[in-house]
Structure formats: structure tokens, C-alpha cells
Amino acid sequence: MNIAKNMETIFLSAVAVIALTGFATAAVPAKHAAPAAVVAKADANMPVVVVSAKRLTAAEKAAL
């Protein structure tokens, strides 16, 4: 069997398999999100970082 003569068939078969796989996996449902009460509870324990600084003036920006 000469592979070079059948490259078009091999390529088209590979494209068909990839396309069918895409259609088959597109119907998989997404994972369910956590209930709102669980999310709110997790947010209460989450550390929060607040960054505050003064804005540079035009003269200060030009000096940099």
C-alpha cells in the first residue's frame, strides 16, 4: 500500500473523526455551579487586599 497515494483519504478521514468528536462532546452538560449560600460563605472567609495610593501628576509622570 502506497501511503503517498492515499494521503488525501487519510487527511479527510482524520478531519471527519475530529469533526465527529467535536459534535459528540458539544452535547456534554456543563458542571453545576455551587449554590449561592455556599459561595457567600466562601466569600466571607476570603482575604481581601486593598491597595491605595495617590495618583501621579503630569509633572511626576514626565520625570519618570
Side-chain angles (χ1 to χ4, degrees), residues 1-12:
M1 180 176 176
N2 189 358
I3 293 178
K5 287 172 63 176
N6 297 318
M7 277 307 248
E8 182 180 5
T9 304
I10 293 170
F11 175 76
L12 292 177

Side-chain angles (χ1 to χ4, degrees), residues 4 6-7 9-10 14 22 25 28-29 31-32 34 37-38 40 45 48-49 51 59:
N6 297 318
M7 277 307 248
T9 304
I10 293 170
T25 58
V28 175
K31 292 183 179 180
H32 296 289
V38 174
N45 297 327
V48 177
V49 177
V51 178

